[in-house]
Amino acid sequence: MNTPAAGLGFALLGPVRAWCDGLPVDLGQPRSHEVLAVLLAAGGRTVSLPLLVDAVWDEGDRPSRPEHAVRTHVWRLRRALALHAAEPLLMTVGDGGTGGYALRVPAHAVDTWAFERAAARAAEIRASGGSAEHAREVLTGALELWTGEPLAGLHGPHARTLRARLQQARQSLLEGRLGLDAELGDRPRLAAEAGALVMEFPDSERLRAVQMLALYRAGRQAEALGVHEDTRRHLGTAPGAELATLHQRILRSDPTLRLPEDSGRRPRTPGSGSAFPSPVPGFTGRDEQLRDLTGMLTRTDASAVIVSAVNGMAGVGKTTLAVHTAHGLGDDAFPDGRLYADLRGADAEPLHPHHVLERFLRGLGVADEDIPDDADERVALYRTLLADRRMLLLLDNAASCEQLRPLIPGAADCAVLVTSRAWLTGLAGARHLRLDVMPPEDALRLLRRTIGDRAVDAEPEAAAALVAACGHLPLALRIVASRLAAEPGRPLADMCRRLADERRCLDELRTGDAAVDAAFELSYSTLSHEQARAFRLLAVPDVPDLALSSAAALLGLGADEAEELLESLVELSLLESHRLDRYRFHDLVRAFARARGAREDSPGTATRALAGLLDFCLATARNADTVAHSAEPDERTLIDVVPASPGITFATAREATDWMREETVLQRALIARACADDGLPLSQAADLLDRLNTVLSGITHLTAVSEQARQVAEVAARRGDRPSEALARYVRGNALWHANAFPEAERELHRSLELCDHDADLRLCASAHLTLCAHARVRGRFDDAVTHGEASVRFFRTLGAATAEGTALGELAFNYARQGRLSEARAAAGRGAELLGGRESVSKAIGLYYLARVLRLCGDRDEALRRAEAALPLFRTLNVSSFEAASGNLIAELHAEEERFALAAQTAETFLPLARKVSAMLEAGLLRTLGRSLIPLGQHARAGACLRAALELFEGLRAEQDVAHLRRLLDEHATAPFIER
């Protein structure tokens, strides 16, 4: 037989797959999968060409040339497999119509080989005197190969026949394994598992017998007898001899049906069974965590008892992982057995270690009368008994370190695996593993294993959305999958829609005795009043996470007190701290917290908490704005609002802009909430929006600001709040202007002026005139620009707002220069730069930029370049992207005017990507400069393309002067070959 690569394997128990050394082999089209399945099932025997045709296609479904189609698929498979074997694996046998094909791979390379031989192997073990445990391990291992519907997605005659055979084989394996479970008596949930399988295989009398026996042993005799009656009705005739005999034995309470007195209750001493939990069927993923835990528990260099603690939120799968890890270790790792206890750490009254020790001692063979009453003596006896043993202890659902310490053995040969919702940092010497939700790909695999590949493949986008809606939480995924499996025809998209509604999603995540909210409720019930209040209020803001300072403001607490509360919730796995001083909820935990808040808190509780947070954010945003622009606080305030909070202070403009950028999502959420909740001050929301507009930049940001400003203005108008409406319309007009939406911007700015009270809103009037000055300048209306600019300067001077006056002078100066009033322009620009000077800030950079523009128009290009280059790093450091791009354009133009064309083109190229993100006007300007610079460099075709692109942008912006200039430039070179008209 030819030898494939060592890692080559094939799967039929699920979708048809092939892999080599863990990496998938591309098998091509579904029909190629059909052909491969036929050849694999033949076990190396030759399959004739006619048989292959009959196996792959039904009579009425065949292509016009089926033999040719088979040969094509064989060729493709041969090519795919050839990459992983030194010699051909797919052989052609014979020729013509009598020939066929044989796939020569080792039998064990196909998953069905072990699967279909497991029942016989288990029978051999028992017949030769082997243990029931060993036989069960063989059956369990075979069943773990089953990953879903065999040959999923294949529908040919052979696939249907083989699928039915494999499903029958699975039923036999399940019957055998449950029979051994009943014999060993170590599965406390055997009755439930047997009941579920009876529903899947209602004709199986073997499964019904196991169900009857398990129910009887659980003290549920009437139910056990009821199973016999249900079987008779289902079959329509009397059950077989085995079930009838068992029925009679249960009727007379045959004592031999009971397990031995100590069976199923005592942990295993060497060679005996244990009451250890069984692995959860369909365990998926967690490969890295399994490796880590296994490595922790099997260290050979440990000088003291090994303690490994798994912690995480409710429903994340801590117990499932721990049990799966323990079973994976096998008997050799801990030959003296295992002990298990559910410590009920999430209950109102966790299990006391004194009682746990009593159970453990009894399980270790100590008679009741020999178990000491004294706590210290009980611990000493327990540790003495474990001193010469190598045992694994699984302490599940621990509440605290205090509960655990008496249960930790003293023997270095023992290992302890702990699960807890709490972070058990006080457990000396323990190694911790934080279990998070599943990665998306593993979550999808878990869904597939339960509902089948066909359902997932039919709605791949809905399946991905479904696991995301479950927050990748294993408990939620298992519940959803269970519900879908119970309703095979139900669309996944329907379940997605139900889970999308936060108010009802937790109601959907319930099935039988499993519920996500019940798991969360156990943790919530242990909280103190202060913790519970914080838990509910932290879920109120509609944001992905909160900084510690914001959380403190929301809760009305000092930073230290708030941090202590939040960290206590993190330790209980009800809150996550994914970054230093930042906290977030899992989506489903947030939904639970909001539901509890709606049930327990008065309607005004959330509003009062958000009012505190809004006040804090506004105060901090004002501080950021002040530092970023190096101005007095009053100069930057356009509405009469005084926050109660001092907010956070900043030492540098970079710190200020970084905070504003980090908290943009929170500020937008608060503004939106103020529009919806009339208990929150809309004036503070409008002021906060203004700070977002003045400190940060970028076209996407400006678009969001203008849209929220529209909402604030509309709400303010409905509430009759003229000052807030006036400010919101100014903010909208300013943002629209910077986003190059000039006509709409002009309308909003004039509307703002109409709403202003001249005496009360003088600073707002001055700011609106300043933006209208810039607007008129862009439109080429320099007389209007000077009118607005002089009004702005006059108003700011009246207010004593030196920084704002400096900004207005810089804009006014440029318009003076465009009118030819160069001396006035230079004087105004110089005075503006002087007022804006001082420490590094946005205002200082703007002053330098305005001065550079005017110096250029005055003919002093060297000084203009020096000032522009001084402004550029400030804009870059402070992330003021629009002015950074504008400075780059100015520098490029200055180089071009000094005939440094290569440097001009290089500079324009550098800033074009940034300009495309922030402003079409700046993009057009840079394209114009680049095109003009490329002409003397001999790159004529590219120059023409740049100039035409600039013209198109200017036309779209209705920038008439720039359009006229571009057309003149193109006309000057109309006869040149590089310009295409």
Side-chain angles (χ1 to χ4, degrees), residues 75 200 270 274 384 391 666 731 857 967:
W75 176 79
E200 186 176 353
S274 91
T384 299
M391 298 188 74
L666 172 60
V731 171
L857 293 176
R967 285 177 175 162

Side-chain angles (χ1 to χ4, degrees), residues 910-926:
T910 299
F911 288 95
L912 255 177
L914 179 62
R916 289 193 173 104
K917 295 179 182 177
V918 298
S919 169
M921 181 67 78
L922 290 171
E923 180 187 356
L926 281 161

Side-chain angles (χ1 to χ4, degrees), residues 902-950:
L903 192 54
Q906 181 182 349
T907 304
E909 289 269 31
T910 299
F911 288 95
L912 255 177
L914 179 62
R916 289 193 173 104
K917 295 179 182 177
V918 298
S919 169
M921 181 67 78
L922 290 171
E923 180 187 356
L926 281 161
L927 283 168
R928 175 173 56 191
T929 304
L930 178 59
R932 291 174 59 195
S933 302
L934 290 173
I935 292 171
L937 294 175
Q939 299 183 36
H940 302 306
R942 188 170 166 224
C946 290
L947 294 174
R948 288 192 299 277

Side-chain angles (χ1 to χ4, degrees), residues 27-48:
L27 298 175
Q29 302 173 1
R31 292 297 186 193
S32 295
H33 292 209
E34 297 259 17
V35 172
L36 178 63
V38 175
L39 295 171
L40 287 171
R45 297 185 301 275
T46 299
V47 183
S48 69

